[in-house]
Amino acid sequence: MSFFLKKKKKRKEYNYFIVEGLKEIKMALKANYIPEYIFLYKKIYKYEFISNFFRKKFLISYQIYKKISFRKKTGGIIASFLKKKFYIKKIKINLTTFLLVLEGIEKPGNLGAILRTTEAAGIDAVLLCNNTIDIFNPNVIRSSLGAVFTNNITIDNYENIILWLKKKKIKIISTSVKKNIKNIYNLKLDKKSLAIVIGAESKGLSENWFKSSNIIIHIPMKGKIDSLNVSTSTAIILFEIIRQNNNF
């Protein structure tokens, strides 16, 4: 099954996903994902203890291990877990709620890097809309260093997310590459119930977000390039807001 779960279509069909590496497997277990199968390269026996958490254990040869693994270095351990469902209603709101909304992020590596950043920044929840990436893609798990399991994530369409944000009276701060809008460094963004909204590198945000925004911001740049990698932009914006609020 592990070989088939490399493909998005099969992950959706079986409702399982694969995790490679002891650290990431431990994080999935800690986040209460339901473990199913574990595959151990039989020459690396030191991880056998963790197999007690899984329904079935398979000792495999190097040839099979090489065929089913996605990463070059997994420590000889690969496991499958049952997917979770994500609901916006489960997000808990308070006076200092700090959210990140991502619209249409296109590359698994970028999404994983962003989730790693949001975990480091202590973001309360990540809301994905118009999402084309399977968050259980092995590249998302790998590039997030397992932070895909520790983040509070929800997936919905932009209409429902906008309605929910407005109902909860959360300030919507959208981002743009245009220079005739507010410079993030010239603002005092009070981190009280706000959501930063960031779009795909190729298209940016849809017009619906700009119409619903309380503020639209950009990161000033001096060079000839008019935009940054989306994961880099996200890190700059989130940590600038944290800095402004002396939150570290």
Side-chain angles (χ1 to χ4, degrees), residues 11-12 15-17 33 81-85 134 136:
R11 291 194 297 272
K12 185 176 181 180
N15 205 35
Y16 292 102
F17 65 97
Y33 280 84
F81 290 83
L82 185 67
K83 286 185 177 183
K84 281 185 179 181
K85 292 184 178 181
D134 178 11
F136 299 113

Side-chain angles (χ1 to χ4, degrees), residues 23-190:
K23 178 182 177 181
E24 289 85 350
I25 289 171
K26 283 183 174 179
M27 291 174 77
L29 288 169
K30 191 173 181 180
N32 296 318
Y33 280 84
I34 298 173
E36 283 295 319
Y37 305 107
I38 190 165
F39 301 86
L40 299 167
Y41 174 33
K42 59 186 178 183
K43 285 190 176 180
I44 305 177
Y45 226 57
K46 60 183 179 180
Y47 299 140
E48 188 184 17
F49 74 93
I50 205 163
S51 64
N52 295 329
F53 293 95
F54 291 83
R55 190 160 62 88
K56 286 187 178 181
K57 176 180 74 172
F58 300 92
L59 297 179
I60 57 177
S61 66
Y62 176 73
Q63 287 74 23
I64 295 175
Y65 167 67
K66 187 177 180 181
K67 186 175 182 179
I68 68 175
S69 61
F70 190 88
R71 292 159 46 181
K72 289 183 178 180
K73 295 181 179 180
T74 67
I77 181 170
I78 302 170
S80 67
F81 290 83
L82 185 67
K83 286 185 177 183
K84 281 185 179 181
K85 292 184 178 181
F86 305 99
Y87 300 104
I88 197 168
K89 293 180 180 180
K90 289 186 177 181
I91 298 176
K92 296 180 180 179
I93 299 299
N94 56 47
L95 293 177
T96 59
T97 295
F98 192 11
L99 306 175
L100 175 67
V101 180
L102 299 172
E103 182 183 48
I105 302 300
E106 299 158 321
K107 297 178 181 179
N110 281 336
L111 178 56
I114 291 171
L115 292 175
R116 184 177 175 183
T117 296
T118 54
E119 170 65 22
I123 301 304
D124 294 305
V126 179
L127 291 73
L128 304 177
C129 65
N130 294 5
N131 187 48
T132 60
I133 300 172
D134 178 11
I135 67 165
F136 299 113
N137 182 304
N139 269 330
V140 175
I141 297 171
R142 175 177 59 180
S143 55
S144 76
L145 297 184
V148 66
F149 306 125
T150 56
N151 273 275
N152 186 9
I153 298 172
T154 190
I155 302 172
D156 212 323
N157 58 53
Y158 72 84
E159 293 99 333
N160 288 341
I161 292 177
I162 290 173
L163 285 173
W164 182 83
L165 291 172
K166 289 185 175 294
K167 182 179 179 181
K168 297 295 182 179
K169 297 182 180 179
I170 295 172
K171 184 183 295 183
I172 298 174
I173 303 176
S174 293
T175 56
S176 173
V177 297
K178 294 180 181 179
K179 294 183 179 180
N180 59 344
I181 53 179
K182 295 185 178 180
N183 181 333
I184 186 173
Y185 299 114
N186 293 335
L187 293 174
K188 176 60 178 177
L189 295 173
D190 191 1

